[in-house]
Amino acid sequence: MNYNKKSIEDVEVAGKRVLCRCDFNVPTKAGVITSDKRIVAALPTIQYLVSHKAKVILCSHMGKPKGEWKPELSLKVVAKRLSELLGQEVIMAEDVVGDDAKAKAAALQDGQVMLLENTRYMKGETKNDPELSKELASMADLFVNDAFGSAHRAHSSTAGVADYLPAVCGYLVQKEVSIMGKALANPERPFVAILGGAKISDKLNVINNLLEKVDTLIIGGGMAYTFLAAKGYSVGNSMLDETKIDYCKDMMAKAEAKGVKLLLPVDTVIAAAFPSPIDGPVDVKTVDADAIPDGMEGLDIGEKTRALFAEAAKNAKTVVWNGPMGVFENPTLAAGTIAVAQALADSDAITIVGGGDSAAACEQLGFADKITHISTGGGASLEFLEGLELPGIACLQDK
């Protein structure tokens, strides 16, 4: 996949109607936005378009209304917050491609901003319906994708419209694609990838793809226990996918054949039962990874493993991390994930954190400003690491 895409700076936007896909899927509670981080992240692209005299038509989805008009998923709250942040009125359309949206788009002046209603109010959005894509495109002269978090979805507003309009990326997508693209295509070495998370089935293709690229692959989290079982260790009641044991054996053989270091936990923090509630009290002890007793469950990496993983990260020039090392929602079982976040924060390497739980961990721990790049898209960054073509990026014009 070509990661060298045209951006808003490569095209003339003055006087043009620009349809800009953002990620305004913000969390709300009782009609109030609880985190406006995604709105703030979109500002540089919107401000560039405004200052360069474009007529700006913003669109986004919010939640999963599944083609129904659910008032609690209206983007009106976003328009209000965005107006405050931009210091100018963001005109709110009452619909997505209806009479109101089209009339307001037609009446836009240079430098004005409007927001369409939730794109997923339209049944055709998630089906990438060409009719909806055409209707969206008919309002504009240019399409800008700045929603990396939705770039792995082929929807009307993320990819379909690019069939009918010239398409370029905004600053957020440009940053994601250039940093992650370079890390995968031409990394500074040693290149270390750290994978965690619960299910190995989520990461099968990621492991396979990364073994082609990295110098060291580190595996922690719930998925590590299937690898340990593949080495012939007893893993007690730990998370185990019996159907993937042969896959793990193949991957260990592939790593050896390619001269890639594959690091697995050497010790693990165990408990008699998964904590319930997830942040409830839990009685733990640490044992070697090859000696998990029956009836006990591995829930975090142990102290020796933390040191081993941190050392590998410290000596790297590029580190990619996706997925926690344990049940980090529980303070007693968070030490492994904290240790990895700390190692990345302390490293001089280019550090890239895939979205989702790992990003949340870095932010909660206050390490976000010490990481080179925290991806805005969990699913999208995973598919990126798999080497898959992302529809919302593939549709953009090459430089």
Side-chain angles (χ1 to χ4, degrees), residues 326-344:
V327 187
F328 86 106
E329 299 86 342
N330 189 304
T332 314
L333 301 166
T337 303
I338 292 171
V340 168
Q342 181 77 58
L344 265 66

Side-chain angles (χ1 to χ4, degrees), residues 1-20:
M1 178 164 156
N2 183 358
Y3 301 125
N4 201 6
K5 295 292 181 181
K6 280 189 183 172
S7 84
I8 44 177
E9 293 184 8
D10 297 315
V11 288
E12 185 57 62
V13 299
K16 298 255 179 82
R17 283 191 177 75
V18 178
L19 177 68
C20 182

Side-chain angles (χ1 to χ4, degrees), residues 124-182:
E125 161 73 332
T126 55
K127 297 191 184 91
N128 197 8
D129 176 9
E131 287 310 308
L132 176 58
S133 302
K134 252 184 232 172
E135 293 276 319
L136 279 166
S138 73
M139 291 189 270
D141 309 303
L142 176 71
F143 173 58
V144 173
N145 190 4
D146 209 29
F148 182 76
S150 306
H152 59 313
R153 308 252 182 259
H155 291 173
S156 283
S157 71
T158 60
V161 288
D163 289 341
Y164 307 100
L165 288 174
V168 300
C169 61
Y171 288 127
L172 263 184
V173 166
Q174 185 184 36
K175 185 181 178 202
E176 293 274 4
V177 173
S178 61
I179 293 179
M180 288 176 68
K182 181 180 183 312

Side-chain angles (χ1 to χ4, degrees), residues 52-197:
H52 286 76
K53 303 283 187 284
K55 302 171 168 82
V56 187
I57 306 163
L58 303 173
C59 67
S60 174
H61 79 279
M62 190 182 203
K64 293 183 178 169
K66 301 198 170 141
E68 287 171 34
W69 288 72
K70 297 191 170 165
E72 69 276 16
L73 292 175
S74 165
L75 289 178
K76 288 188 172 74
V77 287
V78 173
K80 183 170 173 285
R81 181 70 188 120
L82 195 51
S83 301
E84 293 162 3
L85 290 166
L86 283 172
Q88 72 180 71
E89 187 206 354
V90 172
I91 301 156
M92 184 69 207
E94 295 298 321
D95 46 31
V96 185
V97 288
D99 294 344
D100 189 66
K102 285 183 174 166
K104 283 173 175 164
L108 275 184
Q109 303 294 311
D110 294 355
Q112 282 190 314
V113 181
M114 70 177 281
L115 175 61
L116 303 177
E117 235 337 332
N118 189 337
T119 55
R120 286 191 189 168
Y121 280 173
M122 306 301 289
K123 281 198 164 62
E125 161 73 332
T126 55
K127 297 191 184 91
N128 197 8
D129 176 9
E131 287 310 308
L132 176 58
S133 302
K134 252 184 232 172
E135 293 276 319
L136 279 166
S138 73
M139 291 189 270
D141 309 303
L142 176 71
F143 173 58
V144 173
N145 190 4
D146 209 29
F148 182 76
S150 306
H152 59 313
R153 308 252 182 259
H155 291 173
S156 283
S157 71
T158 60
V161 288
D163 289 341
Y164 307 100
L165 288 174
V168 300
C169 61
Y171 288 127
L172 263 184
V173 166
Q174 185 184 36
K175 185 181 178 202
E176 293 274 4
V177 173
S178 61
I179 293 179
M180 288 176 68
K182 181 180 183 312
L184 290 178
N186 186 19
E188 290 190 34
R189 297 187 178 275
F191 177 19
V192 175
I194 305 172
L195 294 178

